[in-house]
Amino acid sequence: MPHLSVAKFGGTSVANFDAMSACADIITADTNTRVVVLSASAGVTNYLVELANGCELSRRNDILNAVRTIQFNIIEKLQKPEMVIEKIEHYLTHIKALAESASLATSLALTDEIICHGEMMSTCIFTQLLNERNFPAVWVDVRDVVATDSHFGKAAPNDEKTVQQTNAVIKPLLEQGKVVITQGFIGRDDEGKTTTLGRGGSDYSAALLAEVLNANDVLIWTDVPGIYTTDPRIVSAAKRIDTISFNEAAEMATFGAKVLHPATLLPAVRSNIPVFVGSSKAPEQGGTWVTRDPQPRPTFRALALRRNQILLTLSSLSMLHSQGFLANVFTILAKHKISVDVVTTSEVSIAITLDKTGSTSSGLDILSDDLLAELREVCKVNVETDLALVAIIGNNLHTQAGIAKQLFETLSPYNVRLISYGASTNNVCTLVKNKEADEIIQALHSALFE
């Protein structure tokens, strides 16, 4: 069986005609890339989310014009723009109608239906760009392939049905020598409604299709040439990591490194599919391979930062020497579909960190009045905001002598609100003030990597 790569290009990689052309160069130069997953052009999804959340007529018109401008700035540079103009106009008309509905009443289902259009338009334009190069690209609606449940905003794939539909839709095209161009981030539930996999879900789409197709690798093309020891925009001395393990990359992604979406790695880990991260703007610079067991495995691998965290402190004297309090709290959180990151406990209180925005595609606020009311029925609730989570990622951190001393000495000038150390062999987490986060990352990078 020939080598099969599934490539994914992010929003900045398809932001304009020149960026799309660079992506086309990568695909046409690599005969192994047979399935291509695209995000929406940069900026489009944010505009569509704003429409989905409901806005006044003048703002709706401004947004629709902005989206139209982004897409037509690309279309007008095609050799045969007339081949896609009618389709894009159809999508824009549909967005306008849906936005009018959202201005009257919003819903997660309506939000998903609106924001899927970014990917539909970018893939439509990109397929035409490839066809103009006499390349055998064919457009596929990924909703005919990826089946999901009806949890709008963060749908979970139905693996069995997705396999069946992939075999029926994509495999015959590959056998004909076609290169499939499809959308990331979206799917369809059993009732035929559009769903999304959550913000950043295009990576997940690519890994999911790679698993179903028994692909040899997943190529994530983004705007940076690989994964770095930390964000190079914060630390100019950050170094690129040539190889990194699934566990380390998942920890980095979970704690804020935006190069990979955390869920991306689930299908890849399950099927041991290597994941490559490189820059679509500079593919010659190489990138980072994420594999099961790369060597060497250093004690300190990277630093990750996630801003805008919430610290919930839940206190109750009934927690002392009692059973069931924690179970009760986590049952309430699960009911509201809240994912908890870091947890610390004392005799009468529990402190947990949450992302400020929910994991749904619409970015709705995670702390609803209903959630807080239910929690206050069982305990006293204290909410702290404007915090950032700094994670030190590495290997066997719990077995290395002197690590705590090294970290505490570096962190001694700063107020650390929470520390989680020992629960994972791969990370140490600290919660700090947002305004001090960059400075702390710089100090830790200097102490651990330079």
Side-chain angles (χ1 to χ4, degrees), residues 5-270:
S5 298
V6 175
K8 176 260 175 178
F9 293 90
T12 55
S13 296
V14 292
N16 52 50
F17 182 81
D18 290 342
M20 277 199 178
S21 297
C23 298
D25 291 340
I26 291 171
I27 295 167
T28 55
D30 180 10
T31 56
N32 294 329
T33 297
R34 311 281 306 288
V35 177
V36 179
V37 174
L38 295 192
S39 297
S41 298
V44 169
T45 299
N46 288 337
Y47 279 132
L48 297 179
V49 167
E50 190 176 345
L51 288 177
N53 289 336
C55 49
E56 295 179 356
L57 178 61
S58 60
R59 181 57 184 158
R60 288 206 304 274
N61 289 336
D62 288 344
I63 292 173
L64 287 165
N65 288 333
V67 172
R68 173 185 291 275
T69 299
I70 290 171
Q71 306 297 208
F72 273 82
N73 281 345
I74 305 172
I75 292 170
E76 65 187 15
K77 294 184 179 179
L78 293 171
Q79 296 170 19
K80 297 180 179 179
E82 67 276 6
M83 299 296 289
V84 294
I85 285 177
E86 186 177 340
K87 293 177 186 174
I88 301 303
E89 289 288 6
H90 171 75
Y91 288 134
L92 291 169
T93 301
H94 198 211
I95 293 169
K96 182 179 180 181
L98 292 168
E100 288 172 4
S101 299
S103 70
L104 300 174
T106 61
S107 73
L108 289 175
L110 180 58
T111 295
D112 281 4
E113 185 63 44
I114 291 174
I115 61 181
C116 80
H117 284 76
E119 280 72 17
M120 305 304 281
M121 291 189 290
S122 66
T123 48
C124 177
I125 296 168
F126 189 66
T127 303
Q128 176 60 24
L129 176 63
L130 286 169
N131 288 338
E132 290 180 355
R133 298 186 179 202
N134 296 316
F135 193 74
V138 59
W139 185 90
V140 167
D141 188 337
V142 80
R143 294 174 296 184
D144 295 334
V145 178
V146 176
T148 74
D149 62 14
S150 300
H151 184 187
F152 298 104
K154 197 182 180 186
N158 176 334
D159 292 342
E160 186 177 340
K161 192 171 179 182
T162 298
V163 169
Q164 293 171 357
Q165 295 182 165
T166 302
N167 290 339
V169 177
I170 292 183
K171 282 192 174 178
L173 294 171
L174 297 180
E175 289 166 1
Q176 295 167 27
K178 303 292 187 183
V179 174
V180 170
I181 311 299
T182 195
Q183 307 79 35
F185 175 57
I186 59 181
R188 181 181 283 143
D189 70 4
D190 287 340
E191 295 182 3
K193 293 181 179 178
T194 299
T195 58
T196 62
L197 305 178
R199 295 301 290 267
S202 291
D203 292 351
Y204 188 28
S205 301
L208 194 63
L209 291 175
E211 181 180 44
V212 173
L213 291 165
N214 296 315
N216 297 83
D217 46 44
V218 180
L219 311 177
I220 305 288
W221 294 102
T222 179
D223 55 356
V224 291
I227 301 173
Y228 282 72
T229 47
T230 196
D231 189 338
R233 292 169 296 186
I234 299 175
V235 180
S236 58
K239 304 175 181 69
R240 189 177 70 204
I241 303 166
D242 292 329
T243 59
I244 187 171
S245 70
F246 286 126
N247 284 347
E248 293 166 319
E251 294 277 359
M252 287 187 69
T254 299
F255 289 108
K258 291 185 169 57
V259 179
L260 283 176
H261 186 264
T264 304
L265 301 176
L266 296 178
V269 170
R270 276 196 306 243

Side-chain angles (χ1 to χ4, degrees), residues 312-335 340 342-352 375 378-379:
L312 273 188
T313 306
L314 311 174
S315 307
S316 173
L317 289 175
S318 63
M319 182 177 169
L320 190 64
H321 304 308
S322 69
Q323 293 88 35
F325 176 79
L326 288 180
N328 197 2
V329 166
F330 280 98
T331 297
I332 294 171
L333 293 170
K335 174 185 172 184
V340 175
V342 180
V343 181
T344 61
T345 64
S346 72
E347 290 87 347
V348 294
S349 65
I350 170 175
I352 58 179
L375 288 173
V378 297
C379 59

